[in-house]
């Protein structure tokens, strides 16, 4: 190290020690403030219990006392959260620095960038800037030279004179890079070469320029991101949520953001990201669970995994495909429109002094309330009639009487049984339907939700202001039509057309543009970061794609291993998995199978082969992603990543159909560092 480098290092270490010293001081101040707050709350409680019998009879003192306690507890909770953030920053307070010379100025301003803001006083310029702050965008978007960023006061232009990235751990400066050695690639290569984890990693230190544009996009109401496997789609979506929460304080809270995720394991896998970024966790939901709740009064629903297993066993049913289509949605619309003339038997309704003739009811039904969904229309008419009678009489109806009147109007329907109406529609269309089934087949679940909405409206749902949809390629037209009805909010929609679970790739972007109109902005992420070039190109060859870009990271070439029989195959997988973990190089190994039956069989064999090793079976009931060896199906592994992946029984099921190729591609792209596929001799792969 030359004198200049040594001097720079000493200056950086001095700044780091200064920041750490101030952090410790700030934590001490917060500790005293929290202790004082606790004492105030204790005194409030004592005062309350000693004096509540003497409070004024109207309850004003009681209310004021409770509100003061609530406010004080809220202040203390905020201080505790702030202390937690600073305690985390003691390990690594920042990861980057930008020196920016504003136009018209001669000397640069230095900005250190970390997970969160830090200053001793709110009025002071931060010693560390949050990665989401406007000025921090300079680090992600520019190298040395001319640059600009949008600040609250407008566009700021100037020049970056210095750009550094740091590795700080345990409060010590391990190393730093200057911009003239391509810091992004160097640091990113180090991060990508690390072991897989039981949770998704934060990418704030390595966000790439194309990812940063998506994260910081505040102008698009609906942002649809088409990204290849390993491009960081999910990470980008969660960091985007953190960015929007940070920059929309007051308008957007964590409980206003909802992510539709594939399963519970995936939800657990991503659950730590937002807390790590100093935000509360957002709400998560499987769309299947949403549909089940919507149909809970109608019947029990199968889930998507039931359908996938059925496809694997019997192929894609032609009716199942049709029921998810735009054409079927149009058939539902037409059928519901036709019900207006057939579902009501108009006749005069009387109750005490209330009387509505058949003709009056027809006018109300078709004209005055014609915009209300059919099965809600008579209830609306009943409420209108009750309001009319109350106005004339000058008194309100008893609630029980009001319900009697509503029921009289609802009896004019031939039936309000949604499942029966849906079944009748299918039969009229020449499609089969079993009225006596103990569950609703998955192919009918979302069409039935759509059918219900057409008859009754979408109803009221929780106040979602931003919706995130992951794995967008697996949602059908009719599912997006439901989403369009339910969620009138901003959206981030992400997926990879190459990871479609099916024999054809749906035109998802076409669906989204058609249903949501001009509000949709489409972005592509073509570069894959997860796997080595060797694994990435091997996976791309499976599906015949050549437009995927790969980050320059090399590793072991994927293996296709020929084995004489099943026992030898599973014995070798067990031995290799045990070796990969015992050497300490890797922490997550997956054995990805074609279906549930095969996965259970493989799990049992491997678990018995290496009883002292943590072998986990992951299925639809699982809730956590665990380090060690995971045995599961290819479709349960979507969205996850592993250090090493083993794929047994690579036979004609995979390469004999487009569905199989998609399954094999999904399995291959789960691997970060090593990939092995096993076939019995004379197999076509």
């Amino acid at each position: 190290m030359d004198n200049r480098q040594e001097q720079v290092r000493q200056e950086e270490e001095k700044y780091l020690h200064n920041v750490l010293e101030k952090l410790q001081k700030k934590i001490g101040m917060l500790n005293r403030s929290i202790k004082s707050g606790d004492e105030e709350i204790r005194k409030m409680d004592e005062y309350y219990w000693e004096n509540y019998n003497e409070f004024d009879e109207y309850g004003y003192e009681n209310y004021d006392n409770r509100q003061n306690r609530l406010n004080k507890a809220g202040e203390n909770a905020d201080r505790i959260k702030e202390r937690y953030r600073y305690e985390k920053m003691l390990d690594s307070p920042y990861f980057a620095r930008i020196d920016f010379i504003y136009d018209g100025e001669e000397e640069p301003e230095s900005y250190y960038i970390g997970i969160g803001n830090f200053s001793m006083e709110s009025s002071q310029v931060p010693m560390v800037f949050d990665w989401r702050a406007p000025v921090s965008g300079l680090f992600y978007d520019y190298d040395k030279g001319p640059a600009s960023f949008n600040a609250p006061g407008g566009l700021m232009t100037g020049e970056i004179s210095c750009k550094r990235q740091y590795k700080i751990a345990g409060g010590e400066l391990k190393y730093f890079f200057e911009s003239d050695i391509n810091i992004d690639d160097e640091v990113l290569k180090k991060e990508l070469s690390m072991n897989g984890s039981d949770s998704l990693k934060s990418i704030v230190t390595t966000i790439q320029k194309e990812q940063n544009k998506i994260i910081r996009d505040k102008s698009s109401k609906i942002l649809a991101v088409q990204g290849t496997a390993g491009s960081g789609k999910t990470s980008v979506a969660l960091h985007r949520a953190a960015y929007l929460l940070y920059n929309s304080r007051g308008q957007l809270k964590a409980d206003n953001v909802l992510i539709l995720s594939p399963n519970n394991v995936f939800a657990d896998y991503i659950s730590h990201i937002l807390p790590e970024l100093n935000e509360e966790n957002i709400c998560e939901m499987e769309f299947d669970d949403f549909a089940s709740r919507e149909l809970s009064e109608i019947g029990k629903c199968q889930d998507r995994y039931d359908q996938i297993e059925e496809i694997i066993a019997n192929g894609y049913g032609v009716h199942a495909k049709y029921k998810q289509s735009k054409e079927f949605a149009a058939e539902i619309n037409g059928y519901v429109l036709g019900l207006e003339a057939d579902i009501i038997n108009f006749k005069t309704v009387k109750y005490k002094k209330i009387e509505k003739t058949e003709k009056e009811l027809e006018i109300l039904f078709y004209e005055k309330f014609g915009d209300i969904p059919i099965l809600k229309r008579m209830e609306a008419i009943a409420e209108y009639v009750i309001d009319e009678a109350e106005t004339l009489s000058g008194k309100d109806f008893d609630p029980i009487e009001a319900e009697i009147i509503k029921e009289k109007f609802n009896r004019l329907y031939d039936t309000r049984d949604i499942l029966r109406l849906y079944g009748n529609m299918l039969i009229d269309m020449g499609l089969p339907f079993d009225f006596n089934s103990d569950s609703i087949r998955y192919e009918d679940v979302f069409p039935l939700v759509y059918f219900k909405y057409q008859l009754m409206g979408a109803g009221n749902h929780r106040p979602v202001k931003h919706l995130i949809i992951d794995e967008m390629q697996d949602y059908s037209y009719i599912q997006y039509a439901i989403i369009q009805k339910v969620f009138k909010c901003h959206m981030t929609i992400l997926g990879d057309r190459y990871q479609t679970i099916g024999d054809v790739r749906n035109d998802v972007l076409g669906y989204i543009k058609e249903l949501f109109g001009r509000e949709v902005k489409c972005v592509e992420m073509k570069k894959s970061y997860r796997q080595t070039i060797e694994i990435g190109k091997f996976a791309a060859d499976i599906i015949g794609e050549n437009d995927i870009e790969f980050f320059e990271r090399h590793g072991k070439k994927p293996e296709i291993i020929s084995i004489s029989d099943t026992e030898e195959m599973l014995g070798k997988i067990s031995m290799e998995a045990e070796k990969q973990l015992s050497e300490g190089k890797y922490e997550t190994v997956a054995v990805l199978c074609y279906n549930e039956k095969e996965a259970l069989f493989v799990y049992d064999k491997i678990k018995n082969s290496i009883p002292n090793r943590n072998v986990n079976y992951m299925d639809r009931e699982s809730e956590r992603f665990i380090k060690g060896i995971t045995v599961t199906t290819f479709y349960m592994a979507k969205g996850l990543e592993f250090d090493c992946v083993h794929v047994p029984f690579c036979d004609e099921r995979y390469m004999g159909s487009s569905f199989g190729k998609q399954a094999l591609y999904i399995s291959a792209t789960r691997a970060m560092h090593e990939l092995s596929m096993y076939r019995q001799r004379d197999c076509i792969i």
Side-chain angles (χ1 to χ4, degrees):
M1 184 181 295
D2 60 31
N3 291 337
R4 171 59 184 157
Q5 287 177 311
E6 180 59 29
Q7 183 183 353
V8 170
R9 184 175 184 88
Q10 288 176 3
E11 290 172 355
E12 291 292 358
E13 287 179 338
K14 182 179 179 181
Y15 189 83
L16 174 60
H17 292 154
N18 188 26
V19 171
L20 293 173
E21 184 181 313
K22 293 288 197 302
L23 277 168
Q24 291 283 17
K25 187 176 179 180
K26 185 74 172 181
I27 291 168
M29 293 167 59
L30 286 168
N31 283 334
R32 290 189 290 275
S33 183
I34 291 165
K35 185 177 179 180
S36 174
D38 286 340
E39 181 63 20
E40 284 188 58
I41 292 170
R42 185 188 65 77
K43 288 179 179 178
M44 285 180 180
D45 289 341
E46 284 182 0
Y47 175 82
Y48 179 84
W49 292 112
E50 288 172 0
N51 297 281
Y52 76 96
N53 285 328
E54 300 176 14
F55 289 166
D56 68 273
E57 61 181 301
Y58 302 107
Y60 294 125
E61 287 179 276
N62 184 30
Y63 175 80
D64 288 343
N65 210 278
R66 288 180 177 275
Q67 281 300 116
N68 288 337
R69 189 195 186 284
L70 189 64
N71 292 338
K72 182 57 65 176
E75 289 173 8
N76 242 24
D78 289 341
R79 293 188 190 108
I80 291 169
K81 283 174 63 178
E82 188 178 5
R83 180 182 65 184
Y84 174 71
R85 172 156 58 93
Y86 295 148
E87 286 173 341
K88 282 200 308 179
M89 290 178 74
L90 286 173
D91 179 67
S92 179
Y94 50 84
F95 56 82
R97 167 181 162 177
I98 286 287
D99 287 4
F100 189 66
I101 305 172
Y102 289 88
D103 284 346
E105 301 290 333
E106 294 183 359
E107 294 298 318
E109 297 282 350
S110 295
Y111 299 101
Y112 286 81
I113 301 165
I115 290 294
N117 277 320
F118 172 65
S119 60
M120 287 300 293
E121 302 292 340
S122 58
S123 59
Q124 294 178 342
V125 175
M127 297 182 75
V128 179
F129 285 79
D130 192 293
W131 67 276
R132 296 165 291 184
V135 71
S136 301
L138 291 170
F139 171 73
Y140 299 112
D141 289 337
Y142 295 98
D143 292 322
K144 287 177 67 174
S148 63
F149 67 96
N150 284 306
L155 183 67
M156 300 294 171
T157 58
E159 181 180 345
I160 295 173
S161 60
C162 177
K163 181 177 178 181
R164 290 181 189 151
Q165 189 158 357
Y166 309 89
K167 177 65 176 179
I168 300 171
E172 292 186 5
L173 180 61
K174 302 298 183 181
Y175 60 81
F176 64 91
F177 288 105
E178 294 282 0
S179 62
D180 57 0
I181 57 171
N182 201 351
I183 62 172
D184 288 342
D185 284 357
E186 290 296 327
V187 175
L188 184 54
K189 197 170 290 186
K190 286 179 181 289
E191 290 292 323
L192 295 175
S193 64
M194 293 173 65
N195 288 342
S197 172
D198 56 1
S199 55
L200 191 66
K201 297 174 183 176
S202 166
I203 61 170
V204 290
T205 61
T206 58
I207 291 171
Q208 302 297 288
K209 187 173 182 178
E210 71 273 16
Q211 295 172 332
N212 194 49
K213 285 182 179 178
I214 295 169
I215 289 169
R216 293 174 182 259
D217 184 339
K218 292 195 293 184
S219 62
S220 303
K221 182 170 183 183
I222 297 172
L223 187 61
V225 181
Q226 184 74 258
T228 190
S231 58
K233 297 181 296 296
T234 303
S235 292
V236 165
L238 293 171
H239 286 69
R240 174 168 165 75
Y243 175 80
L244 294 172
L245 289 167
Y246 176 85
N247 283 276
S248 304
R249 297 281 189 227
Q251 291 83 44
L252 188 68
K253 297 180 180 178
D255 58 6
N256 299 137
V257 184
L258 173 67
I259 181 169
L260 295 182
S261 64
N263 52 56
N264 290 330
V265 173
F266 181 81
D268 172 66
Y269 184 63
I270 66 174
S271 62
H272 77 292
I273 286 287
L274 284 162
E276 190 175 311
L277 299 175
N278 301 316
E279 297 292 346
E280 293 180 25
N281 243 329
I282 60 177
C283 302
E284 173 276 331
M285 178 178 66
E286 292 178 52
F287 205 28
D288 284 1
D289 288 343
F290 172 84
S292 293
R293 286 199 294 271
E294 289 295 281
L295 301 179
S296 58
E297 295 180 359
I298 297 174
K300 182 181 177 182
C301 300
Q302 290 183 346
D303 63 27
R304 176 163 174 74
Y305 301 117
D306 292 315
Q307 186 190 55
I308 293 172
E309 286 293 321
E310 189 172 313
I311 293 168
I312 289 170
N314 305 313
Y316 236 121
V318 63
H319 298 323
K321 280 184 185 179
Y322 177 64
K323 288 176 184 176
Q324 306 305 312
S325 68
K326 175 183 175 181
E327 291 72 24
F328 189 62
E331 289 280 4
I332 290 175
N333 297 342
Y335 186 83
V336 169
L337 190 62
L339 281 176
E340 287 196 348
D342 300 329
I343 200 171
I344 294 286
N345 289 313
F346 292 107
K347 58 184 178 182
T348 300
V349 174
K350 293 182 180 180
Y351 182 80
K352 294 185 178 180
K353 293 183 179 181
I354 290 177
E355 180 176 343
K356 283 294 174 186
T357 66
E358 179 180 333
K359 185 64 178 175
E360 287 175 314
L361 288 174
E362 285 185 5
I363 292 171
L364 289 171
F365 189 84
Y366 291 116
E367 296 179 17
K368 186 172 183 63
F369 293 94
D371 292 336
I372 293 176
I374 295 173
L375 292 188
K376 286 289 187 181
R377 207 174 294 178
M378 273 301 172
E379 189 174 324
I381 292 171
E383 289 174 353
Y384 169 78
V385 171
I386 290 168
D387 288 343
E388 188 179 57
E390 287 175 339
T391 301
L392 290 172
S393 65
K395 61 180 182 179
D396 293 341
F397 271 93
D398 179 271
I400 295 175
E401 281 195 305
E403 288 304 314
I404 291 171
I405 295 168
K406 289 178 184 178
E407 184 56 30
K408 279 181 170 288
F409 279 87
N410 277 334
R411 283 182 198 150
L412 298 179
Y413 290 107
D414 283 340
T415 179
R416 298 180 78 238
D417 185 328
I418 291 173
L419 187 62
R420 180 155 295 279
L421 287 167
Y422 178 77
N424 290 342
M425 178 189 72
L426 292 184
I427 290 169
D428 287 352
M429 294 169 62
L431 300 175
F433 186 77
D434 182 3
F435 287 99
N436 299 313
S437 175
D438 59 355
S439 65
I440 301 167
R441 287 175 59 81
Y442 190 75
E443 66 185 59
D444 291 308
V445 168
F446 287 98
L448 191 51
V449 172
Y450 183 80
F451 186 72
K452 175 188 172 183
Y453 286 173
Q454 293 302 92
L455 290 171
M456 302 188 72
N460 295 318
H461 296 273
R462 56 186 303 280
V464 176
K465 293 183 179 179
H466 197 102
L467 179 69
I468 299 172
I469 302 174
D470 208 355
E471 305 292 351
M472 72 176 181
Q473 72 280 354
D474 290 334
Y475 287 72
S476 67
Y477 179 91
I478 214 153
Q479 286 175 310
Y480 280 111
I482 291 168
I483 289 168
Q484 191 269 340
K485 286 179 177 293
V486 174
F487 300 104
K488 309 295 185 182
C489 62
H490 287 70
M491 299 182 193
T492 303
I493 308 175
L494 315 102
D496 175 12
R497 58 180 173 270
Y498 302 137
Q499 292 186 65
T500 303
I501 297 181
D503 57 350
V504 295
R505 294 172 189 161
N506 295 326
D507 180 22
V508 173
L509 290 180
Y511 302 161
I512 294 170
K513 289 175 183 176
E514 179 182 335
L515 289 163
F516 297 100
R518 294 180 180 178
E519 297 174 323
V520 180
K521 177 182 177 181
C522 297
V523 179
E524 276 203 88
M525 297 173 67
K526 291 185 176 182
K527 197 167 189 175
S528 177
Y529 299 95
R530 176 188 298 135
Q531 57 271 90
T532 62
I533 286 181
E534 288 75 13
I535 293 173
K537 289 184 175 179
F538 178 88
D541 286 343
I542 292 171
I543 54 172
E545 293 297 337
N546 55 17
D547 63 341
I548 302 173
E549 301 171 15
F550 301 101
F551 180 76
E552 192 72 25
R553 182 173 72 88
H554 290 277
K556 187 178 178 181
K557 190 175 180 180
E559 293 184 287
I560 300 177
I561 302 167
S562 294
I563 302 292
S564 60
D565 57 40
T566 298
E567 288 296 320
E568 183 186 353
M569 178 188 298
L570 298 182
K572 184 167 180 60
I573 290 175
S574 300
M575 181 182 69
E576 288 297 319
E578 166 64 20
K579 180 182 176 184
Q580 287 164 337
L581 293 173
S582 62
E583 289 177 348
K585 187 178 178 181
Y586 301 126
E587 295 185 14
T588 57
V589 176
V591 183
L592 303 184
C593 302
Y594 194 62
N595 57 36
E596 281 185 327
K597 182 179 178 181
E598 184 179 290
L600 278 167
F601 172 76
V602 170
Y603 167 71
D604 186 60
K605 292 290 186 182
I606 293 178
K607 189 175 179 65
N608 290 332
S609 296
I610 41 178
N612 297 323
R613 178 63 66 182
N614 179 24
V615 183
N616 171 53
Y617 177 67
M618 189 171 76
D619 64 7
R620 67 186 82 181
E621 303 301 325
S622 301
E623 295 188 350
R624 297 199 60 203
F625 181 51
I626 302 170
K627 287 183 180 180
I629 300 170
T630 297
V631 182
T632 189
T633 57
F634 74 91
Y635 56 81
M636 279 298 303
K638 285 186 71 175
L640 307 178
E641 60 186 26
F642 304 86
D643 290 318
C644 311
V645 168
H646 300 268
V647 185
F649 304 109
C650 286
D651 52 31
E652 66 276 2
R653 295 174 306 174
Y654 282 112
M655 298 307 288
S657 69
S658 56
F659 179 92
K661 290 178 182 179
Q662 298 294 133
L664 195 60
Y665 175 77
I666 291 167
S667 294
T669 53
R670 300 309 94 203
M672 296 171 63
H673 308 303
E674 292 189 24
L675 172 65
S676 300
M677 296 186 172
Y678 301 79
R679 64 177 182 183
Q680 290 183 237
R681 292 192 176 96
D682 301 323
C683 177
I684 63 169
I685 291 183

